[in-house]
Each structure stands twice: as structure tokens, then as C-alpha cells.
Amino acid sequence: MNPSPMPVSAVGANALRTITLEVFRFRPEQDPLPSWQTYQVPCREEWVVLDALNYIKDHLDGSLSYRWSCHMAVCGSCGMMINGKPILSCKAFVRDFPDHIRVEPLGNLTVIRDLVVKQERLLANLSAVKSWLIPKTPAAADEPYRQTPVQLDQYRHLSMCINCLLCYAACPQVALNEGYLGPAALALAHRYNLDSRDGGTFERMQATASADGIWECSFVGECSEVCPKHVDPAGAIQQMKLASSLDWFARRLGLGERS
Amino acid sequence: MQTFHADVIIVGAGGAGLSAGIAVAEQDPSLRVALVSKVYPMRSHTVAAEGGAAAVIRAPDTLEDHFRDTVSGGDWLCDQDAVDLFVAEAPKALTRLEHWGCPWSRAEDGRVQVRSFGGMKNERTWFAADKSGFHILHTLFQTSQRFPSIQRFDEVYALDLLVAEGAVGGLTGLSMQTGEAMVLLAPSVIIATGGAGRVFPFTTNGAIKTGDGMAMAYRAGVALKDIEFMQYHPTGLPGTGILITEGARGEGGILVNKDGYRYLQDYNLGPPDPWPRRKAMEMGPRDRLSQAFWHEQKKGRTIKTSAGDDVVHLDIRKLGEKFIDERLPMVRELSRAYVGVDPVVAPIPVRPVVHYTMGGIDTNIDTATDLAGLYAAGECACVSINGANRLGSNSLTEILVFGTRAGLQAADRARSQVDRPATNWDAQIQASFGKVSGLMARTAGNESIVGLRGQLHGLMEGAAGIYREDAPLRAACAEIAGLRRRYRELAISDHSKVFNTQLFQALELGAMLEIGEAMVHSALARRESRGAHQRLDFPQRDDVQFLHHSIARSGGQDAPSIEHKPVNISRWPPGERVYGGAAK
């Protein structure tokens, strides 16, 4: 099949800049080892790296595989390592990069093929930490709970997690300990802990304060650095460590459980 | 090949599919739910909805107002019994979501806050800043994890329904991660796969919204209802088509042309002041605003961007930085990132963009199709509450109300079918996987995915855009038939099993061609102008001949047939849609 010629309308008549995209390739059925493949891509000024990948897919090499959908940094599908850093490819503007861009699958996660990685670890950990509301008091049938804007602000930033796994790719502990729950799952656990409607902190602690939970975090803080939604998982984990310690002391002093 | 048995299969794990799954699990934990999606649930396009969800919460708003806004907004093509049910269930659905932890924006006293959307008489839209769809989806997904009876089949592409003796019995699918063939069997199947905006070239819809579920039902003989009605949202960013929420106008943003003039006052939406006010000017319905843009463009009063796009300006500067950051943070984030404009200091360039598929799989008020055991809910379905033009913030509520309803209906049927005799599905299974292996085996062909898709896009935009007329629609019908023939000669270059995205693009293209063909045929047959369907050659609404639903049935490899079905007008006879100064 011949690749279609580049339609002028797709790239615009002016402001083209040709970049070299060096892309990680791995097809398990035919490649014993991963390799690098380079493509020359004519880019428009406003393009993101994802647009360049779509150009490759449509016009240069239909076999390149990667995930994407929304193209507006909210579905969390298209995280990749771009020049060594985890980033959403739909938010990585070509204009912010040099003429040579290297694209790899997210770090610390098993590669399925090309730029596609396994995501089951996050999914399993979200369940493990019980990232859902465990009501403090039963809800009235047709009446919403009251929650003031101040109470909402307590956890609102943590609820912004799009599950994109950039923090897993950035975290050294995720690499070292396969069982570690990881930044996003712990941050979402804390999101519910801090919700005025929730009473599940102690229940979640069975996972979050376990050997694979918050104490594994060495507070490098890379997770918060790379988060595209400013969730600050590192901050959440430090808060949980503090709360967990206070809980431990409270129980030693015979004051009962805090939750 | 792997075979799984379930009681209820749900295809699609966005807002409607997750609502359905939770409803089944809550009602009867002994029923096995198979939740099948070509993406992980949190990637579903519900995630991109911004502005909010409509439900009557307090005086002066009433269910009657919500009913009337919806029916007039839909240009009387809505089924009124369905709208009555919808507005009554809406507050319960949103309250349920609140009980599951959805971070709705709040008033100082802790009550849920509401705001205005286009075509609304009262403030009615519940919102979670301007990331309402994102929060709704994640709340539903996180809540769904509580239920062990819901088994997820993430990244499984549904291929074909299995049908015998007028009833559905399951479906075939492919694991995207391994390429393995899968068969799922159940007496109830719910389709909740979203709309088909990707049939058009310039859309707010994510890459996944290719209409696969609609096409799957259509191929199985289920009709597509009112599929000619495609909503253009008036404010998308040029280039990417990224949506700027109607909330921006609801909070007081204005639209101006190249002369800085609020042009909507020239299109029966004025007078411009006082502003903001409901059901007028920038708070008119989406169809009217997108049509006004089209006329401004013809008059040469739009603005040309450096990339050559025609735009108008959405100006929210008056709201101020603090308010924008609190109520419209995503508008600011998206504008800065994708058009390099900070809306605090400069107006945002916007233009109409394909946004929402009003039509879809024909269902009754209970989400049931005329194929026993098959249900549909959300954007892929047409109940119909949206008629000829959906009101902003009705769709997020729709996925909750009708997703839940589909779950309950499907559960009832599953329980009634426990003693059903086994069916031999071998022939259908072989035929379904045979299509895939045929595509995979074809090594030579002159047709490419990008080539056929590009031509389909050109035809849809050219013939079925904001304004339509006979000759281009006729031509598009013929040309799409040609594209479908050529599609049968499509060859792909990737023949591997593991995460073969080229194969799935090819399958999606097949679905888009079928849906696109149904759209242009339905648009050709509707010789009137109503809501989002505007004919230059038939500029008036014609209730005598066309106050009915279009029913498109697949002709297999041939053209679809277009039939009719009555609209349920239970209590409010058709009237004039009034916005602007005369609106009440």
C-alpha cells in the first residue's frame, strides 16, 4: 500500500518545520528486541507530538501503535516519554522541542507493543485502596449532602487525577518495588479521606499504610513535578504519613482509632 | 477463541455504560455483568464534557420548565413521554452521583450550585467547575469498582451481535492487546458506545467516537432514528476543534465578529442588553448560534486566522481573572495551550464544530430496541429526548438517567431468560471473524484508510454540514456507496495480532462509512428545516409532512431505506421556537 501524499490542507502552506522523530519500536511477534525508527515529519507551528505521530500513522508507517483519544489532555491515554520525560503527547508542543525528538513508551511499565504499555497496575491499585466514597453517614434518599466550598477545596485538587500514569513513569519506587501502590492510587485514596462526606480512612489504611503503601515513598517528588493536572501526589502521601503516625501514637496512648 | 457467559453484556464503559453496570449490580448482585470497551473506562469520551448536567433542583425552576425548554429546544421532534420521564428522573440521577462523591460546585451554604446554559429558562445546570464530564466519569468508574459482579473487558473491540429468532444472544469481539477472538454470550446486551462525530473532519469528539456500536446494531437490523441531526457546537477552537464550554457564555461571555459587533442580534436573538440573560443572544440554542456564524461567514464578517480558518471572537475578559479561574479554569487552560490566548486578557478565537449526534439507535422509552434483549443508552441511542437539537447539559444527565434505566431493563430480562435453550452460534461466529481474517489476509489493494476516510470527511462536511441541499446530498449518497464498495478492497499493511491499531482503524472506518451513508440518506429525505437540519432548498419547518422520526434501515451492501415513525406529542403541540426579546 502506498502512503498517501501529504495533503497540503493537513499541514498548511506555510510555517512548516521538518523534525526528526526517533520512535521506540517493539512488535513482540516479530522483534526479538526493541529498536529505534526515525521519521521525517513536516510539522505545523501549532502541532503537538501526537499530531506528528498521527502524521506518521497516516502517511509514513501504518504499523506504528500508540493510544490516544481526546487530544485535549483529559482522557489520559497518550502519555509517553518524550526526550526522556513523561508527558502527555497531546500537550507536548513541537515548538517547545529541538528538531530531533525521541519518543518512548512510559517508563517503569511493561511494554505491550511500540508506545503501548500495560496499565493494569494502576487499575488494580485503585481498587486496592478503595478509591470510592465510603459514606460517613447514610445519605438521605433524595437530598444531596451539604458540602461547603471550603470543604470542597480540601480535596478538589486531588480529584483532578486523570489516571495518565505519568507519575508511575517518573517514580523511582514504582521501578524498585512491583507491589508499590504508586502515586496516583495513593493520591486518590487521600482524595476520599479528605472528603467531608467520607468515613473510610481507616478502611483504606489497610492498604495505604501497608508495606506497599505510603511508607515506600522516598519523597523524591518527581510524581508531582510531572503531573499534568497539578494533583501533587507527593504532598498527599506526606500528609497521609503524618496522619498515619498520629493514628499509631493515638492507639498506643489508648485513645482509640482516629478516622 | 475464548467464550464467556454473562447475564448482561454492556458495550461501552463511559457514563451510560457505567451507569448501566452499576444499576444491574445494585439491583441484583447475582447477575454477572460483562463491561466491554475498546478503551479503559476513564478514557471514554464522557471525560471531555465540560459545562454540566441539567436537573431541576429548586424554585423557581420546575419540571415543566425543563420539559418545555427541552421540547422547544429540540424543535418538537422530541418524544414528549420520554422527556417527561427524563426531567422527573434527572434530579434523582444527579443526587445519586453526589452520594457517590461527585465534586459538584457548591454555594456558600453547602448546597449544590447551578448555572445557566443555552435555551434554558432558569438556572438548572449542575457543574463541577468546567470539568463536569470528567468528574462524572471518574465518580462512576471509581464507584463501579465496588461491585465484584462487574467484570471488565478493557480494550476489547466489539465486532458483531449474535442474533437468533428475533433476539440477541451476545456478541463477538477481539482483544486488542492479544488479538484473540472472544465470544460473549448473554440474554441482554446494552449498547452504550457514544456518538459518531468522527464521521466529520472537524469535531470536538475524541478519536474513539467512530459510531461502532451504532453500526453494530444497524447491521443487525435495528434502525437508526433521526440520524441526520448532527449538532454543531458554536464555540470550538480552530485547528483542533477543542470545545470551549457554553458555560463561558452562561457566565457572561459574548460573541463578536470582525467589527467587534455582537452579531447574534441580527438573527432573532437580540436585543443584546441587558446581558447576561437567559434564552437570548449568546444564550440561545446551539443550532441557531452555529447557523448565525454560517451567515456571518458568507457576509465576510468573520475573522481570518493566520492558519486560514474563519473565526469569531468569544470574549470573557469582563469576568475577570479570579472568576475565570474559579468557574472556567479549563477554558483558560485550553485556550492558553492550544491557541496561545489567555482569555483573561484577550478574546478566544472560536468557530462551529461538529459536537453531538442527536440521532442514534432507535429505542423506546425503556431503552429497548425492536430486537429483543438489545438495549441502547446515551449518545449512541435515540430515545428521543433531544429531537432536532439537543440543549446544552441535557446529555450528561441523559447518560445517567437512561444508562440506569437500560441496566434495570436488561437485568429484568436476564432474570426472565434463565431457562432459555442453548443456541448454536457457530455459523455467525465464523462469519464475524471471517470478515476480520479476510481483512488481515488481504495483502494487496489500492485503497488506504486515510484515503477513504478523507473522502468520507469531505463528503460529510460538504453535503451534511450546517446547511444542506438536494444536489450535494444526492451526490454524497452515490459517492459514499462508492466508498463502501472500495472499502471492500481495503488492504492493511500491519498483519500482527498484538495491539494492531491499524486493524481497528480499518474496522472503525467500516462503521463510519455505514453511519455516514445513513446520515446523508436521512438528510436527503427530510425536505424541511428543523433544528440542526437546515435545508437551503426547504427553509421552513414542515409539520404536515415531516413531524416524524426518520428511520434508517441498513440495506446490507446496498443503500439504506428511509421510513417514518410518529413523534410522541402527548401534551404540547408544536409551536414557534422563540428566543431573544420575546422569549419567556
Side-chain angles (χ1 to χ4, degrees), chain B residues 22-35:
Chain B
I22 293 170
V24 178
E26 279 199 324
Q27 206 201 35
D28 187 345
S30 74
L31 294 176
R32 298 157 299 174
V33 178
L35 185 57

Side-chain angles (χ1 to χ4, degrees), chain B residues 15-17 191-195 214 356-361 367 376-383 386 395 398-400 402-403:
Chain B
I191 300 183
T193 49
M214 288 178 183
Y356 188 85
T357 319
M358 261 80 69
I361 299 167
T367 73
E379 192 180 348
C380 72
C382 185
V383 170
N386 298 312
S395 63
E398 179 183 6
I399 60 179
L400 303 171
F402 289 99

Side-chain angles (χ1 to χ4, degrees), chain A residues 29 57 65 67 93 113 192, chain B residues 142 155 337 494 499 501:
Chain A
E29 294 154 87
K57 180 95 183 158
S65 279
R67 293 186 181 102
F93 285 88
R113 167 181 173 157
Y192 284 104
Chain B
Q142 287 163 9
E155 299 197 321
D494 186 349
F499 228 94
T501 47

Side-chain angles (χ1 to χ4, degrees), chain A residues 29 57-58 65 67 69 75 90 93 113 119-120 123 131 133 140 143 145 147 163 191-192 197 229, chain B residues 40 43 98-99 101 106-107 110 142 145-146 152 155 207 333 337-338 453 494 496-499 501:
Chain A
E29 294 154 87
K57 180 95 183 158
D58 284 351
S65 279
R67 293 186 181 102
S69 179
C75 79
C90 73
F93 285 88
R113 167 181 173 157
Q119 310 200 345
E120 276 69 18
L123 276 291
S131 63
L133 193 88
E143 185 69 24
Y145 291 107
Q147 183 169 67
N163 302 353
R191 169 251 179 274
Y192 284 104
R197 299 165 290 187
K229 297 291 160 185
Chain B
Y40 287 96
R43 316 296 180 218
E98 197 280 335
H99 292 161
R106 306 283 180 157
Q142 287 163 9
Q145 298 176 104
R146 276 168 39 202
R152 287 207 322 269
E155 299 197 321
E333 185 187 327
Y338 293 99
R453 191 174 58 205
D494 186 349
S496 53
K497 284 181 169 299
V498 175
F499 228 94
T501 47

